[in-house]
Amino acid sequence: MITRAAEFAADKHRGQTRKDAERTPYINHPLAVARLLSETAGIQDAQVIAAALLHDTVEDTDATVDEIGEEFGQAVRDIVIEVTDDKSLPSARRKQLQIENAAGLSHAARLVKLADKICNLQDILAHPPVHWSLERKREYFDWAKAVVDNIRGAHAGLEGLFDQVYLHKP
Ligand code: NDP
Ligand code: ZN
């Protein structure tokens, strides 16, 4: 299932790039999130790893939750739904809702959310979005911490890693 999820995500994110100056292929991000969970955090639950690979497909591609349910089953679909923002809302509201909803996430969704935030902070440090000011990077770090602070208790290792990366706040 994991390899199939990687293939599905690569296909859906085809042509997309990260916001960095290097125009890194977008798929590198879900791959990094899945790798962090499996190699660094030691998570062996295939449904969590598949959901990590798929975590941005519904938000950022034409993938639908039904398609993910049919291909990967209801459990994976439900994790992806939990980590998908409602793009019909204004971005400030979406960011506020991530903070508020973090406390109600399932354990599996917390793991994916934690790894996603760690990877995005690492990206901002090493391959930042072009044209982001210092202030914007700092605001992003603080917002990510506000989300993670409402998740704590899910995985001590990942939370400790988040705190370590946060120490490098620009
Ligand atoms: P974006 O949501 O536009 O960008 C951040 C997201 O982009 C990340 O969460 C990540 O999401 C993705 N991403 C892609 N490439 C990278 C990369 N190289 N490094 C890190 N992340 C990457 O920005 P904001 O989160 O700031 O959201 C917009 C908000 O910003 C609004 O609320 C607005 O008010 C505010 N804003 C602030 C400005 C300022 O100067 N302070 C200016 C303009 C807006 P994923 O995991 O989904 O790929
Ligand atoms: Zn992501």
Side-chain angles (χ1 to χ4, degrees):
M1 173 160 74
I2 290 170
T3 313
R4 200 152 49 83
E7 281 179 0
F8 180 95
D11 191 34
K12 290 294 185 183
H13 288 295
R14 180 193 307 263
Q16 295 180 345
T17 56
R18 299 290 282 166
K19 297 173 178 169
D20 56 14
E22 299 87 351
R23 298 179 54 80
T24 301
Y26 193 90
I27 188 63
N28 284 29
H29 165 66
L31 287 170
V33 173
R35 181 171 170 219
L36 180 65
L37 288 169
S38 60
E39 291 185 16
T40 307
I43 287 154
Q44 295 181 344
D45 183 336
Q47 292 175 335
V48 171
I49 304 303
L53 290 165
L54 300 166
H55 82 272
D56 280 325
T57 56
V58 172
E59 203 169 290
D60 295 333
T61 80
D62 66 6
T64 65
V65 294
D66 287 346
E67 202 178 354
I68 288 179
E70 281 163 25
E71 293 269 347
F72 304 104
Q74 191 180 327
V76 172
R77 183 200 67 176
D78 289 350
I79 302 167
V80 174
I81 289 173
E82 284 191 86
V83 298
T84 297
D85 282 355
D86 180 351
K87 276 199 144 175
S88 70
L89 299 172
S91 80
R93 179 72 187 134
R94 293 209 307 261
K95 295 192 88 96
Q96 183 57 32
L97 277 175
Q98 276 209 36
I99 297 171
E100 289 173 15
N101 293 342
L105 293 176
S106 67
H107 182 69
R110 284 168 191 237
L111 297 176
V112 175
K113 182 72 81 177
L114 270 167
D116 186 34
K117 291 289 177 274
I118 292 167
C119 288
N120 280 332
L121 293 197
Q122 288 175 331
D123 278 353
I124 288 171
L125 294 172
H127 306 280
V130 285
H131 308 314
W132 271 33
S133 64
L134 177 64
E135 194 51 35
R136 186 155 184 188
K137 293 177 189 172
R138 291 172 60 82
E139 280 176 15
Y140 191 97
F141 267 63
D142 286 337
W143 168 72
K145 184 171 186 301
V147 175
V148 166
D149 282 346
N150 279 347
I151 282 179
R152 288 188 192 275
H155 192 286
L158 285 171
E159 289 154 32
L161 181 54
F162 178 90
D163 293 337
Q164 276 196 339
V165 179
Y166 181 83
L167 286 177
H168 295 92
K169 177 179 160 184

